[in-house]
Amino acid sequence: VGVGLIGGSVGLALREAGLAKTVVGIGRRASSLRKARACGAVTTTTTRLDRGVADAELIVVCSPVDRIVEHVVAAAGHCPEGALITDAGSIKGRILEGLDQRLPDGFPRGVDFVGAHPMAGSEKTGPEFARADLFAGRVCLVTPGESAPRRAVRGVTDFWESLGARVIRMSPAEHDSVVATVSHLPHIAAAALADLASRPQLEAVGPGWLDTTRIAAGDVELWQQILSGNRVAVLKALDEFEKLLASYRAALATDNARELTDLLRAGRDKRRAGERLGRGNA
Amino acid sequence: VGVGLIGGSVGLALREAGLAKTVVGIGRRASSLRKARACGAVTTTTTRLDRGVADAELIVVCSPVDRIVEHVVAAAGHCPEGALITDAGSIKGRILEGLDQRLPDGFPRGVDFVGAHPMAGSEKTGPEFARADLFAGRVCLVTPGESAPRRAVRGVTDFWESLGARVIRMSPAEHDSVVATVSHLPHIAAAALADLASRPQLEAVGPGWLDTTRIAAGDVELWQQILSGNRVAVLKALDEFEKLLASYRAALATDNARELTDLLRAGRDKRRAGERLGRGNA
């Protein structure tokens, strides 16, 4: 459900690995569905979610975060018994809350949902940028709610691992705190850094600026939804960031070279550890 | 003078383009000089700056920013009449101040200095990472002091352009303000963002975090010198950054989707413009 960069890459990866004979692409826009078909990401397409999931064993909801609850509920209402549903949304707590509100008695018998968040986006959007190896070696956070059956958690874990991802399991709340720090706050910082440069200054940007601000080129509406959807955790991360910047300010204002060195060293060491731990075997 | 990544790349670029028959590598450590010779960046080497510059037409001081004044002064005292001196330092105002203090009567007759800053570093250091095309398509800021003769400015401009760089001329003060915004502040932001992640969170970092924090992996002592040397301009840029982050905070705290969208859009538009303007023809 949703045949953009993520949904398209799921389809390509499944087909390239021979894991699915039929991949149904479900989307609102005929043009995106056409592109997804053209690049081989899906075998059939439909704009009708109810029909698209009618024979599904596994449903991957790759919609924008504001539509995920609605699409999971619709899929749960029309899929066969035994179907497993996962998603690829960047926030988790609010989606589970939304599902609890919409399905107060839980999912229909024999249908389960376990959320996931593959850490493998791009500032590019659309199925034309989909790649079969988008998830290879990348972390995928799998975030079961408290009531998710063990079998469903295992199934969703197996699914993302079959696409090459390294799965890490954590609670939805833990997820939201992690991504606030390693994804959402960096997006704000990148966008703010980019915004500060005047037009003449932009002539002078080098590879450092281009790397640091790259994610700011991402889809604005998508990111507004993500940041708003995770605002409590993002505000907490922003607090910590501002405190740390105040330490840099103090070190610069007092010309304290030793303190500045300590701060830079701490950042460098974490960056190196992140390179080692986060890049994984990719 | 200084055969690290930048000095080594200058040598390789000069030799590959056939612009210099003799490239003398001057450095303190025999091991770096050996590496520079081994990779073909220089034709001869010496640890004695006075001897190394004795027959030089052009001297490129690629020392760490804290040593640049000292090395320019030493080079000016031992080079032939007619020699032109440039540097590759990341700060400019303080270097010119230092030169004014050390050479109150100006440079020796027939010797001129025009500072430069090629925007083409890397978090890697050492001549083993030098590349002949390091400057190709990259911006090089050329920053003549008020007393620099037109001929010298032209000569230094021609030199950096001959290595493939796109030269932009500005005053040293203007330079320091530009790089505070497009290079030094991003370094602080990258290091602070990296520092915020806990060890378990580092397991979950994706390509976005890795890009945004990449420059934080750079040499700590070098960056402390750069930030301290440009502290006034960096503090000003940090002020503006903190103000902009406060706007994000307000938009998130009041759940103002429209304001958040406007902020993200402004950042995205600048990022796109920077990609277009800054990447140049590289």
Side-chain angles (χ1 to χ4, degrees):
Chain A
V1 186
V3 292
L5 172 72
I6 301 291
S9 296
V10 167
L12 281 178
L14 282 173
R15 297 197 60 209
E16 188 151 293
L19 294 165
K21 250 191 272 187
T22 308
V23 179
V24 184
I26 304 172
R28 271 188 309 174
R29 280 182 301 188
S31 62
S32 291
L33 292 174
R34 209 162 34 234
K35 281 184 204 159
R37 220 167 32 228
C39 71
V42 297
T43 52
T44 60
T45 60
T46 174
T47 56
R48 296 268 310 258
L49 196 145
D50 54 347
R51 291 195 191 162
V53 302
D55 297 317
E57 291 169 59
L58 177 83
I59 298 150
V60 190
V61 177
C62 303
S63 319
V65 288
D66 272 10
R67 315 294 302 276
I68 291 176
V69 169
E70 175 193 336
H71 290 165
V72 170
V73 169
H78 294 94
C79 66
E81 201 179 314
L84 199 50
I85 309 176
T86 185
D87 76 331
S90 304
I91 57 175
K92 288 289 163 260
R94 192 172 275 199
I95 288 172
L96 269 201
E97 284 166 28
L99 289 173
D100 281 346
Q101 279 169 14
R102 293 284 304 274
L103 300 170
D105 302 325
F107 277 81
R109 189 181 146 72
V111 177
D112 289 305
F113 170 77
V114 175
H117 178 192
M119 305 287 283
S122 160
E123 74 280 14
K124 306 287 203 308
T125 53
E128 59 270 42
F129 298 108
R131 287 167 22 207
D133 66 349
L134 188 71
F135 309 106
R138 298 299 183 191
V139 165
C140 179
L141 305 178
V142 168
T143 59
E146 283 175 14
S147 58
R150 184 186 292 243
R151 192 193 54 83
V153 179
R154 187 69 252 161
V156 165
T157 300
D158 285 349
F159 166 67
W160 287 104
E161 284 180 350
S162 75
L163 306 189
R166 295 191 297 127
V167 165
I168 302 177
R169 278 188 213 161
M170 55 181 67
S171 73
E174 211 180 335
H175 166 275
D176 287 353
S177 164
V178 169
V179 296
T181 302
V182 305
S183 169
H184 303 173
L185 175 65
H187 194 95
I188 289 177
L193 284 172
D195 200 1
L196 282 188
S198 67
R199 294 276 156 171
Q201 289 176 336
L202 288 174
E203 296 263 2
V205 300
W209 188 90
L210 288 166
D211 278 343
T212 311
T213 60
R214 186 183 64 81
I215 51 178
D219 187 272
V220 166
E221 279 69 32
L222 177 76
W223 275 97
Q224 178 271 312
Q225 288 178 22
I226 291 172
L227 296 174
S228 296
N230 197 25
R231 46 190 281 272
V232 176
V234 173
L235 280 166
K236 194 158 166 289
L238 190 52
D239 266 345
E240 290 169 15
F241 187 49
E242 287 176 320
K243 273 183 205 139
L244 198 45
L245 291 177
S247 302
Y248 276 93
R249 158 178 302 287
L252 285 167
T254 58
D255 209 0
N256 187 336
R258 190 175 193 166
E259 173 64 16
L260 192 54
T261 303
D262 287 347
L263 286 165
L264 291 168
R265 185 176 295 117
R268 182 202 60 186
D269 291 349
K270 285 285 185 67
R271 175 58 179 69
R272 288 190 179 168
E275 173 87 28
R276 208 171 53 242
L277 295 168
R279 186 88 68 182
N281 307 315
Chain B
V1 186
V3 291
L5 173 72
I6 301 291
S9 296
V10 167
L12 282 178
L14 283 173
R15 295 196 61 207
E16 188 151 292
L19 293 166
K21 250 192 272 188
T22 307
V23 179
V24 183
I26 305 172
R28 270 188 308 175
R29 280 182 300 188
S31 62
S32 290
L33 292 174
R34 209 162 34 233
K35 280 185 205 158
R37 220 166 32 228
C39 71
V42 297
T43 53
T44 60
T45 59
T46 174
T47 56
R48 297 267 311 257
L49 196 146
D50 54 347
R51 291 194 190 162
V53 303
D55 297 316
E57 290 169 58
L58 178 82
I59 298 151
V60 190
V61 177
C62 303
S63 320
V65 288
D66 272 11
R67 315 294 302 276
I68 290 176
V69 169
E70 175 193 336
H71 290 164
V72 170
V73 170
H78 294 95
C79 66
E81 201 178 315
L84 200 50
I85 309 177
T86 186
D87 77 331
S90 303
I91 58 175
K92 288 287 162 265
R94 192 173 278 198
I95 288 172
L96 269 201
E97 284 166 29
L99 289 172
D100 282 346
Q101 279 169 14
R102 293 284 305 273
L103 300 169
D105 302 325
F107 277 80
R109 187 182 148 70
V111 177
D112 289 306
F113 170 78
V114 176
H117 178 192
M119 306 288 284
S122 160
E123 73 281 15
K124 305 287 203 307
T125 53
E128 58 272 41
F129 298 107
R131 286 167 22 207
D133 66 350
L134 188 71
F135 310 106
R138 298 298 183 191
V139 165
C140 179
L141 306 178
V142 168
T143 59
E146 283 175 14
S147 58
R150 181 185 296 243
R151 190 194 56 83
V153 179
R154 187 68 253 162
V156 165
T157 300
D158 285 349
F159 166 68
W160 287 104
E161 284 180 350
S162 74
L163 306 189
R166 295 192 296 127
V167 166
I168 302 177
R169 278 188 212 161
M170 55 181 67
S171 73
E174 210 181 335
H175 166 276
D176 287 353
S177 163
V178 169
V179 295
T181 302
V182 305
S183 168
H184 303 173
L185 175 65
H187 195 94
I188 289 177
L193 284 172
D195 201 359
L196 282 187
S198 67
R199 294 277 155 167
Q201 289 177 335
L202 288 174
E203 296 262 2
V205 300
W209 187 92
L210 289 166
D211 278 344
T212 310
T213 60
R214 187 183 63 81
I215 51 177
D219 187 274
V220 166
E221 279 68 32
L222 178 76
W223 275 98
Q224 177 272 313
Q225 288 177 23
I226 291 170
L227 296 174
S228 295
N230 197 25
R231 45 190 284 272
V232 176
V234 173
L235 279 166
K236 193 158 166 292
L238 190 53
D239 266 345
E240 290 169 16
F241 187 48
E242 287 175 320
K243 272 184 205 137
L244 198 45
L245 291 177
S247 302
Y248 276 91
R249 158 178 303 286
L252 284 167
T254 58
D255 209 0
N256 187 336
R258 191 178 193 161
E259 174 63 17
L260 192 53
T261 303
D262 287 347
L263 286 165
L264 291 169
R265 185 177 294 118
R268 183 202 60 185
D269 291 349
K270 285 284 184 68
R271 175 59 178 71
R272 288 190 178 167
E275 173 87 29
R276 208 171 53 242
L277 296 167
R279 184 88 69 182
N281 307 316

